[in-house]
C-alpha cells in the first residue's frame, strides 16, 4: 500500500534508484530538484531534503513536498506550492515503472486535502497538452479544463479544481 510521506534522508538510495530510472536531468516533477542540487552524496542529499522540508514551513512562497513510497521504494513525488506559479499550484510525477497503477490520481487526491487545510478554495493544475495520462489524473480529481495556452515549453492544459470543505480523495 503506498504512503505519501515528507521527504527524508533515510531514503537516499531508494530516491537515487528512482532518479536513475527517470534518466539524466531535473525533470522529475514534484521533487523540487533544481539544477544546482547535489544529491549523489549523503551530505548533499541531506541538505537538499532539509531545504525541501524547510520550504513547507514558509507560509508565503513555500511549498509542501511529499514522496509516494511503497515498500521502501520511492515511486514518485508531488508538490503543493503555497503561492500560484506559472506551473500551477500542484506538480507531480511518477517513475516510469510505477505508472498505470493510479498512484498519481491517489496522490493528487491526498494533496488536495492538504491544499484545503492550507485554506485554499481552488487550485490550478497545468500539464502538457499531449500528456493525456496527466490530464486524466486531473480530471479524475474533478479538474475542469479552462483551456489550452501556448507556453515557453509548448501547449499546456490549464485546469481548476474547486476544493470543498469536506474534500475527499478520488482514490
Amino acid at each position: 500500500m503506498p504512503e505519501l510521506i515528507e521527504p527524508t534522508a533515510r531514503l537516499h538510495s531508494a530516491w537515487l534508484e528512482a532518479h536513475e530510472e527517470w534518466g539524466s536531468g531535473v525533470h522529475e516533477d514534484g521533487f523540487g530538484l533544481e539544477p544546482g542540487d547535489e544529491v549523489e552524496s549523503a551530505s548533499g542529499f541531506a541538505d537538499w531534503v532539509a531545504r525541501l522540508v524547510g520550504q513547507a514551513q514558509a507560509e508565503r512562497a513555500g511549498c509542501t513536498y511529499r514522496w509516494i513510497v511503497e515498500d521502501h521504494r520511492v515511486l514518485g513525488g508531488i508538490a503543493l506550492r503555497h503561492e500560484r506559479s506559472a506551473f500551477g499550484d500542484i506538480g507531480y510525477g511518477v517513475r516510469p515503472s510505477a505508472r498505470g497503477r493510479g498512484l498519481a490520481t491517489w496522490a493528487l487526491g491526498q494533496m488536495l486535502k492538504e491544499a484545503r487545510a492550507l485554506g485554499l478554495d481552488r487550485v490550478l493544475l497545468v500539464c502538457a497538452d499531449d500528456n493525456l495520462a496527466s490530464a486524466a489524473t486531473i480530471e479524475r480529481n474533478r479538474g475542469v479544463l479552462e483551456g489550452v495556452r501556448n507556453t515557453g515549453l509548448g501547449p499546456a492544459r490549464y485546469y481548476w479544481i474547486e476544493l470543498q470543505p469536506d474534500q475527499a480523495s478520488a482514490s
Side-chain angles (χ1 to χ4, degrees), residues 7 16 29 34-35 42 49 58 62-63 76 79 87 97 100 105 107 110 145 153 164:
L16 284 176
D29 294 332
E34 296 177 0
V49 166
C63 190
F87 301 108
S97 65
T105 299
Q110 297 301 308
L145 181 65
L153 300 174
Q164 305 301 322

Side-chain angles (χ1 to χ4, degrees), residues 122 124-125 143-149 156-160:
R122 71 183 200 152
L124 174 67
L125 284 96
V144 175
L145 181 65
E146 174 186 88
V148 177
R149 300 181 198 165
R157 296 177 186 220
Y158 283 70
Y159 287 91
W160 288 99

Side-chain angles (χ1 to χ4, degrees), residues 16-33:
L16 284 176
E17 179 186 297
H19 181 62
E20 288 174 23
E21 184 177 322
W22 252 290
S24 64
V26 294
H27 54 275
E28 295 100 323
D29 294 332
F31 280 122
L33 188 61

Side-chain angles (χ1 to χ4, degrees), residues 95-170:
R95 68 191 282 177
S97 65
R99 293 178 184 160
R101 296 179 42 200
L103 291 169
T105 299
W106 168 79
L108 178 55
Q110 297 301 308
M111 195 56 91
L112 292 173
K113 293 177 185 178
E114 293 203 34
R116 187 67 187 157
L118 283 175
L120 301 176
D121 56 4
R122 71 183 200 152
V123 292
L124 174 67
L125 284 96
V126 179
C127 70
D129 188 37
D130 63 354
N131 189 340
L132 301 181
S134 190
T137 292
I138 296 166
E139 291 168 2
R140 280 192 290 274
N141 277 284
R142 295 179 316 279
V144 175
L145 181 65
E146 174 186 88
V148 177
R149 300 181 198 165
N150 287 320
T151 71
L153 300 174
R157 296 177 186 220
Y158 283 70
Y159 287 91
W160 288 99
I161 298 178
E162 300 291 332
L163 301 177
Q164 305 301 322
D166 59 345
Q167 184 70 49
S169 171

Side-chain angles (χ1 to χ4, degrees), residues 1-21:
M1 183 102 197
E3 297 177 84
L4 211 54
I5 68 164
E6 184 174 85
T8 176
R10 288 188 339 264
L11 291 173
H12 184 209
S13 61
W15 187 91
L16 284 176
E17 179 186 297
H19 181 62
E20 288 174 23
E21 184 177 322

